[in-house]
Amino acid sequence: MNRQPNVAVKIIIKWKDRILVRKHKNGVFDFPGGRMKFGETIFGTLKRELKEELSYSLVKEPRFLDAYNYISKNKKRHSVFLNYTLKLEEKPELVDKEGAKNLWLTKQEF
């Protein structure tokens, strides 16, 4: 059994008054991003995940927002999330490669 925490990098992408949220086939909502691979940098993880998930090329490192530590009640899952934000001037053309639905939600819809 792997006794190391899983490290994931997530990003909140803002465009105008909207935030990008992904709705997966199983009904789960989340922000773009994913697990860090061994030897990968945080920025490298974000670049790879955005390219894999959305065909989006991240050019500059986004602003760090916070870190969140999650341990399941049964102690079988431990994840650390590094969260970033990115404000865009133009709406990007996103192509979801994983079958999730991209939603640009307002604060009220969120």
Side-chain angles (χ1 to χ4, degrees):
M1 177 195 278
N2 182 2
R3 300 299 297 171
Q4 300 298 317
N6 170 54
V7 178
V9 184
K10 295 288 185 172
I11 187 164
I12 298 169
I13 300 176
K14 299 176 185 178
W15 169 69
K16 293 189 176 182
D17 67 338
R18 302 192 174 264
I19 296 172
L20 179 64
V21 179
R22 302 179 75 229
K23 182 179 181 183
H24 295 271
K25 292 177 188 176
N26 63 3
V28 172
F29 291 86
D30 76 349
F31 296 111
R35 293 180 183 178
M36 181 180 283
K37 293 181 179 180
F38 186 83
E40 192 172 46
T41 66
I42 295 168
F43 184 56
T45 300
L46 276 176
K47 284 178 72 168
R48 176 182 53 77
E49 287 289 345
L50 291 177
K51 190 62 138 175
E52 287 176 3
E53 293 178 354
L54 305 170
S55 294
Y56 180 77
S57 296
L58 187 62
V59 178
K60 65 178 188 168
E61 191 164 344
R63 188 174 67 92
F64 178 73
L65 179 63
D66 66 8
Y68 176 74
N69 185 56
Y70 169 79
I71 302 172
S72 65
K73 289 181 183 180
N74 64 8
K75 307 273 192 241
K76 291 187 177 183
R77 183 170 180 159
H78 182 183
S79 297
V80 176
F81 296 92
L82 304 174
N83 301 305
Y84 286 78
T85 63
L86 177 66
K87 188 173 182 179
L88 301 176
E89 297 299 319
E90 296 180 23
K91 185 178 180 182
E93 191 69 37
L94 303 177
V95 178
D96 198 292
K97 296 180 177 180
E98 297 181 343
K101 186 174 182 181
N102 296 318
L103 306 169
W104 288 99
L105 302 178
T106 64
K107 190 175 186 179
Q108 293 75 23
E109 294 168 327
F110 194 77

